Amino acid sequence: MALRLIKNLPAAELTAWLQAHGQAAFRLKQIRDWLYSRWAIDFVAMGNLPTALRQALTDDFLAFGLEPLETQTADDDTVKWLFRLVDGESIETVLIRAPDRQTVCISTQVGCPVRCTFCASGRDGLIRDLEPGEIVDQVIAACRHLQQRVDNIVVMGMGEPLLNLEHLIAALDLICGPECLGVGARHITISTSGIVPGIRRLAELRRQWHLALSLHALTDEQRGRLIPARYRYPLAEILDACRYYRECTGRIVTLEYALMAGGNDSQDDALGLAALARRLDAKINLIPCNPVSEHYQAPAERQVRAFEERVRSLGAKVTLRQRKGERIQAACGQLRRRTPAAAERPDQASPE
Ligand code: SAH
Ligand code: SF4
């Protein structure tokens, strides 16, 4: 039987395990210190624990659940990893380096059940949810690489985080918990394609996490061309849920808008987007679309700038996100698609 990742265990279970092994309660703090402050990847390294305890931990648990299969670094210091999970599946994690802050972009699922037509992650549908420990270990890997704690976390890698919500919450509690990684809640951004029950559940937790909605289109009809029906909610319900999130947490929502030439980049789109953002008091993040399929291309740079200017002139708060790490295929799901396991799967992309 495969060993359990120790980070998947609720604190009470680990405490009970320590008791059953005749260990004092302070060992929990020591173990956490190794896992979350020193980013240990095995129990043998935990020098201040008795040898017998290190052996018992090794017999029962895994300290770290990822094995790097590929590491790519771009000129701008973006690092992208393809990690192998214990069961042989693979996920992607990206570290985006800037002089003043280190951001890690993490995955929450292997594949994605939503299957947006412009996204590489959803091509094969959902393979499986990530466990809390597998989500946290992506952050640990980035900390180990930097030899410092990361500053920001964006949940924008593979998968729809709000369709693996319980594991996401457990992982974020470890990432934010002062006794674990201790990253400030305001430094976490969760991006969703618009899963209404998930947005409402998150709102009611009243954490200070930042919510980003992948809007990309301004009518249900236009969105219907990008997102298959199964997990697509009516825009009005999504916007209501975002308003509720704002009310419950006090935090401004971000609207992600991937510009697609001839798809959502018209003057009317700019007008609609600015109006919607103003109504919601949201800020807009424009992203030139990554061309993962021949059907979607980013508009020319001049047009991207013109769209940005138009939205701004209409009174909305807007930023243009530079495409970092394009050369290393940093768009989510692109790297994993090149692995042998993924190549064996039939291409199932099918807009509904
Ligand atoms: N499933 C979540 C989070 C992961 S995707 C979501 O959809 O929000 C992270 C971001 O990448 C989303 O805003 C998504 O719309 C965007 N994205 C996916 N494929 C893209 C592409 N080809 N070009 C630009 N952005 C893309
Ligand atoms: Fe899934 Fe997000 Fe990609 Fe859509 S854009 S398929 S929701 S990862």
Side-chain angles (χ1 to χ4, degrees):
M1 196 185 72
L3 295 179
R4 286 175 80 185
L5 250 182
I6 193 162
K7 298 177 187 96
N8 290 339
L9 251 68
E13 259 185 65
L14 190 51
T15 305
W17 185 93
L18 285 168
Q19 263 170 7
H21 286 75
Q23 297 293 329
F26 72 89
R27 297 291 179 202
L28 177 66
K29 184 177 178 318
Q30 287 181 318
I31 294 169
R32 276 184 174 154
D33 191 48
W34 280 105
L35 293 173
Y36 299 108
S37 302
R38 303 201 222 180
W39 319 302
I41 57 172
D42 59 47
F43 298 108
V44 178
M46 300 184 178
N48 56 355
L49 302 186
T51 313
L53 174 56
R54 282 187 265 166
Q55 188 56 52
L57 286 164
T58 306
D59 290 344
D60 282 7
F61 305 114
L62 276 179
F64 186 72
L66 310 175
E67 181 200 332
L69 284 178
E70 237 182 281
T71 307
Q72 297 185 356
T73 308
D75 300 341
D76 58 9
D77 277 344
T78 303
V79 183
K80 179 159 185 165
W81 289 280
L82 182 69
F83 288 119
R84 184 182 181 279
L85 306 172
V86 173
D87 64 355
E89 291 295 347
S90 54
I91 53 160
E92 298 174 13
T93 305
V94 182
L95 172 65
I96 304 147
R97 305 192 59 178
D100 55 333
R101 59 178 189 175
Q102 314 300 327
T103 302
V104 57
C105 174
I106 58 174
S107 296
T108 52
Q109 296 180 314
V110 183
C112 179
V114 183
R115 303 176 70 186
C116 302
T117 53
F118 54 88
C119 174
S121 297
R123 289 278 175 87
D124 302 325
L126 176 69
I127 312 299
R128 73 167 172 88
D129 286 338
L130 293 189
E131 295 166 358
E134 293 171 324
I135 300 174
V136 174
D137 277 346
Q138 298 170 67
V139 182
I140 301 282
C143 297
R144 278 179 70 83
H145 178 87
L146 292 166
Q147 285 299 299
Q148 71 179 69
R149 200 182 65 184
V150 296
D151 306 293
N152 283 297
I153 289 155
V154 294
V155 188
M156 291 191 181
M158 293 170 63
E160 170 46 63
L162 303 195
L163 291 176
N164 186 18
L165 191 49
E166 296 315 314
H167 289 179
L168 174 74
I169 294 168
L172 290 181
D173 282 344
L174 294 172
I175 290 168
C176 299
E179 73 292 358
C180 295
L181 267 162
V183 177
R186 299 177 73 87
H187 295 271
I188 310 280
T189 298
I190 303 166
S191 176
T192 179
S193 60
I195 306 297
V196 169
I199 298 174
R200 290 188 167 270
R201 163 115 167 79
L202 265 191
E204 281 160 9
L205 290 178
R206 290 183 156 75
R207 304 287 215 286
Q208 283 296 296
W209 300 328
H210 184 104
L211 181 72
L213 169 68
S214 298
L215 182 67
H216 308 322
L218 298 154
T219 63
D220 285 316
E221 197 247 321
Q222 195 184 19
R223 267 188 125 237
R225 277 181 248 133
L226 302 177
I227 308 180
R230 176 130 192 249
Y231 292 104
R232 189 181 70 245
Y233 287 81
L235 209 42
E237 283 181 32
I238 299 175
L239 298 177
D240 266 354
C242 288
R243 244 172 247 120
Y244 185 58
Y245 191 86
R246 175 84 210 270
E247 257 168 52
C248 290
T249 63
R251 299 223 62 192
I252 286 182
V253 173
T254 299
L255 303 174
E256 306 272 335
Y257 197 86
L259 277 167
M260 303 170 194
N264 63 1
D265 61 343
S266 71
Q267 300 262 338
D268 278 355
D269 290 321
L271 194 72
L273 178 59
L276 195 153
R278 282 208 321 268
R279 275 205 309 279
L280 206 62
D281 192 20
K283 56 184 182 186
I284 301 163
N285 208 345
L286 293 179
I287 319 135
C289 178
N290 270 301
V292 297
S293 100
E294 78 249 34
H295 303 295
Y296 300 102
Q297 299 290 334
E301 200 179 325
R302 198 166 41 80
Q303 271 149 315
V304 170
R305 295 271 174 206
F307 190 93
E308 180 195 6
E309 275 318 308
R310 183 155 169 78
V311 171
R312 183 170 295 123
S313 71
L314 291 162
K317 291 177 221 121
V318 57
T319 51
L320 178 61
R321 197 200 298 162
Q322 297 306 327
R323 276 193 285 184
K324 287 212 162 208
E326 190 176 2
R327 274 199 314 101
I328 57 168
Q329 296 174 303
C332 60
Q334 279 180 276
L335 196 58
R336 193 186 71 93
R337 300 266 324 150
R338 292 203 284 94
T339 63
E344 279 160 23
R345 293 188 186 106
D347 197 334
Q348 301 168 339
S350 57
E352 278 165 32

